[in-house]
Amino acid sequence: MSASVQESPQGWVPVEHRFLGLDRRQFKPALFVLVVGLVLIYGFQGLNALIPWDNATKAGDVLDLGRGATAVPPVGWQLEDGARVGESKSGVSATSVRTVLANGGAVIQLEGAKFTGTANAFLDQVLSVRDDDADIAGARASFTTDAGLVGVVQSESGPGGEDLLAAFKMATGDAATVEAAPALIVEVTAAPGEFERYQHQIDAFLRSITPETTK
């Protein structure tokens, strides 16, 4: 008596490859497509929302921007890069500091640089090297923090969402002192329709930035 071999129906997935009725072998390709789709549609803000972090800011946290300069982060945001005051044993360089805060579809990035000149000229330089896809650029305006640090801000919007750029020279005093001080660029990016949701927190964060206290 010969045994007959029954062919599997088309599209049938073996039990060992199933999870919740789905073919587990397709998970990796599907995840890759999802990640690429998020980046193309929402930029890296969408990808950020998919990645779990566990370094949330708390009330009383103060960010170290180098040379005594600081900023107070909004509570509950994830500190993905950068240091709180007292965390860095080797110290934070004001001309190379990098801090990243994220919350859902919004990201705040701060980067320090060595630049001689005004905050306005520094923002011009930053914009000149950006690969920008903004459709609408807002008017540039002066911005003063609660500590008296004077900078300039400019907003942009495009298919990827809304951006806000703020440039500062991290010192107060006479023109020569300010122009010789380290520069700081703050870039806020938000997914389409998300900026207004975080606007109050972003404004409070910018106003909390203090100038350097040591040289």
Side-chain angles (χ1 to χ4, degrees), residues 97-178:
V97 62
R98 184 174 188 273
T99 302
V100 179
L101 293 159
N103 188 9
V107 177
I108 302 174
Q109 298 185 70
L110 300 88
E111 292 193 26
K114 186 176 182 179
F115 180 83
T116 301
T118 65
N120 199 54
F122 178 56
L123 183 53
D124 283 338
Q125 177 172 294
V126 170
L127 291 173
S128 71
V129 297
R130 275 168 57 99
D131 183 14
D132 212 341
D133 62 350
D135 289 336
I136 301 173
R140 190 172 300 186
S142 178
F143 185 92
T144 304
T145 73
D146 292 341
L149 197 64
V150 179
V152 289
V153 296
Q154 183 171 327
S155 61
E156 298 179 336
S157 62
E162 297 176 85
D163 289 7
L164 177 69
L165 290 167
F168 298 95
K169 296 304 300 292
M170 300 301 287
T172 56
D174 59 72
T177 299
V178 172

Side-chain angles (χ1 to χ4, degrees), residues 4 9 13 31 33 48 51 53 57 69 75 84 87 89-90 98 102 104 111 117 140 152 177 185 191 196 201 211:
S4 61
V13 179
L31 181 59
V33 172
N48 176 76
I51 301 174
W53 291 86
T57 55
V75 174
R84 298 171 178 84
E87 283 185 342
K89 295 181 180 179
S90 59
R98 184 174 188 273
E111 292 193 26
R140 190 172 300 186
V152 289
T177 299
I185 187 73
E196 287 189 6
Q201 291 176 301

